[in-house]
Amino acid sequence: MRNNHNRPSIEQFRQFAKEHPKLRDEVKKGNKTWQQLFEEWYLYGEESDEWNAYRTDSGKATSKKNQKKEQSEEGYVGKVMSFVKNLDPDQIQDHLSNVNSTLNNIQQLISQFKSPASSGQREEKQTSQPFNFRQD
């Protein structure tokens, strides 16, 4: 027998099967095999509507947890929207103009450092060619 402890997906499926006892009934009736159920679980995932028929009351509790999670996510969106509503457009404009002027100053500083270096490179290129060939 192989050691199944090396495959965490099998352990996850076992936990899933414990949470959905009606799956055991399907296997006992001969409608499906454990291999088929595992493959479907692996393909569809635990949250698929495929498993609604096998859920018990504890399964309904997990779906309620999912609903609470969705409501809390909507709560985050509501918080962000209220934060955006409370922003002052004048303050935002002031901050943006400060950032813009800072970026302009940085660009000027960079251009000052580039100017002498680029002219120095041109002189090096001209002196690196000892023979001056002209085209007619």
Side-chain angles (χ1 to χ4, degrees):
M1 242 191 189
R2 285 191 283 178
N3 188 358
N4 290 334
H5 296 292
N6 295 336
R7 298 184 59 191
S9 59
I10 293 175
E11 291 301 319
Q12 291 172 350
F13 178 71
R14 285 182 180 168
Q15 183 63 33
F16 177 76
K18 286 179 185 177
E19 294 172 2
H20 298 81
K22 292 183 182 179
L23 292 174
R24 197 174 310 131
D25 297 336
E26 283 291 313
V27 174
K28 285 181 181 179
K29 290 178 185 175
N31 296 338
K32 292 193 177 192
T33 64
W34 284 114
Q35 181 65 34
Q36 290 172 332
L37 290 172
F38 176 77
E39 289 172 358
E40 290 175 5
W41 171 82
Y42 193 77
L43 288 175
Y44 299 128
E46 293 183 19
E47 302 301 324
S48 175
D49 292 335
E50 176 90 12
W51 308 115
N52 286 343
Y54 304 110
R55 294 195 197 279
T56 60
D57 293 334
S58 63
K60 292 177 183 175
T62 57
S63 65
K64 288 181 182 179
K65 288 179 185 177
N66 291 337
Q67 290 174 352
K68 287 182 182 179
K69 183 179 177 183
E70 290 173 2
Q71 289 174 352
S72 66
E73 288 174 357
E74 291 173 359
Y76 292 130
V77 173
K79 288 179 183 178
V80 170
M81 292 303 293
S82 65
F83 176 75
V84 170
K85 287 179 184 177
N86 292 334
L87 291 176
D88 184 19
D90 294 330
Q91 283 182 338
I92 293 172
Q93 183 63 36
D94 290 340
H95 290 299
L96 288 176
S97 64
N98 287 339
V99 169
N100 190 25
S101 65
T102 303
L103 289 175
N104 285 335
N105 290 338
I106 292 171
Q107 284 177 339
Q108 288 176 355
L109 185 65
I110 291 172
S111 67
Q112 287 177 356
F113 285 115
K114 279 188 172 183
S115 295
S118 62
S119 64
Q121 288 176 353
R122 288 181 192 155
E123 291 174 0
E124 288 177 13
K125 286 182 183 177
Q126 291 174 355
T127 58
S128 67
Q129 296 176 355
F131 301 104
N132 192 6
F133 292 101
R134 294 184 192 170
Q135 290 182 345
D136 292 349

